[in-house]
Amino acid sequence: MDQFTGTVWMLGDDIDTDIIIPTEYLALKTVEDMKPYGFYPLRPELPGLIQPGDIIVAGKNFGCGSSREQAPEIIKALGVSCVIAKSFARIFFRNSINNGLLLIENDQIQEAVKEGDRLTVYTNQYLEHEGKKYPIEALPDNLLDILNAGGLVKAMRKLNGLD
């Protein structure tokens, strides 16, 4: 997870958990069943376009709304490598880390990239787009350990010698 490059998908401000996965699809049995309905109210075509390793770039307050864990699970299941936003709702941020989804706060990249651009992430260092570097805050080691393990449950299983 040190460095990766992905195609950018642009979303706006205040993308709430009902946009990420609408309530009516939470009754489906698995995240795989729910995956085709990710971002359905906003962009119903998006789940079919996202490729493994792609990056979502959004505005402020990404993940606001309810505390449903399915929201970051859907994004991860779609193959998104990380979400970069100006800010995140606090519970969404922690649910994402716990589910192994990298979130990066940056308030400059939104104006620098457009949908379809390629963006390189140097974890805990900077973002790079067309030769320009955009600094990012480093995550604490304990959160990186959770992300690198693939989520909190996997990290705890590894820590306790169960895997």
Side-chain angles (χ1 to χ4, degrees):
M1 184 186 267
D2 295 332
Q3 172 193 340
F4 56 90
T5 301
T7 300
V8 170
W9 295 98
M10 299 295 294
L11 298 174
D13 292 337
D14 303 312
I15 301 299
D16 67 28
T17 54
D18 251 358
I19 289 173
I20 297 169
I21 183 62
T23 305
E24 60 265 30
Y25 301 112
L26 294 175
L28 297 173
K29 289 187 177 195
T30 68
V31 170
E32 285 299 310
D33 294 335
M34 294 177 212
K35 189 168 73 169
Y37 304 102
F39 303 100
Y40 192 80
L42 185 65
R43 296 185 61 185
E45 79 287 356
L46 193 57
L49 299 173
I50 292 174
Q51 298 297 309
D54 285 355
I55 297 169
I56 291 176
V57 175
K60 64 178 175 57
N61 203 26
F62 190 92
C64 57
S66 73
S67 61
R68 65 182 67 153
E69 284 192 45
Q70 295 92 337
E73 288 176 333
I74 294 296
I75 296 170
K76 189 173 178 188
L78 287 170
V80 172
S81 60
C82 74
V83 179
I84 303 166
K86 290 182 180 182
S87 63
F88 294 95
R90 186 178 182 134
I91 191 72
F92 179 83
F93 185 89
R94 191 57 206 220
N95 280 341
S96 295
I97 299 295
N98 288 348
N99 283 287
L101 176 64
L102 175 63
L103 301 183
I104 297 171
E105 285 191 354
N106 182 279
D107 63 358
Q108 299 172 336
I109 201 69
Q110 295 79 5
E111 286 72 35
V113 298
K114 63 184 183 310
E115 192 158 283
D117 283 358
R118 302 282 289 167
L119 178 65
T120 301
V121 175
Y122 294 84
T123 306
N124 272 6
Q125 297 176 50
Y126 57 89
L127 309 171
E128 186 173 0
H129 177 254
E130 296 181 350
K132 186 170 180 189
K133 295 179 181 177
Y134 300 84
I136 56 176
E137 293 291 323
L139 291 171
D141 289 341
N142 64 320
L143 296 186
L144 279 181
D145 290 344
I146 293 169
L147 287 166
N148 288 329
L152 183 60
V153 171
K154 290 178 182 176
M156 292 300 100
R157 290 186 61 80
K158 182 180 175 184
L159 181 69
N160 290 304
L162 300 173
D163 285 336

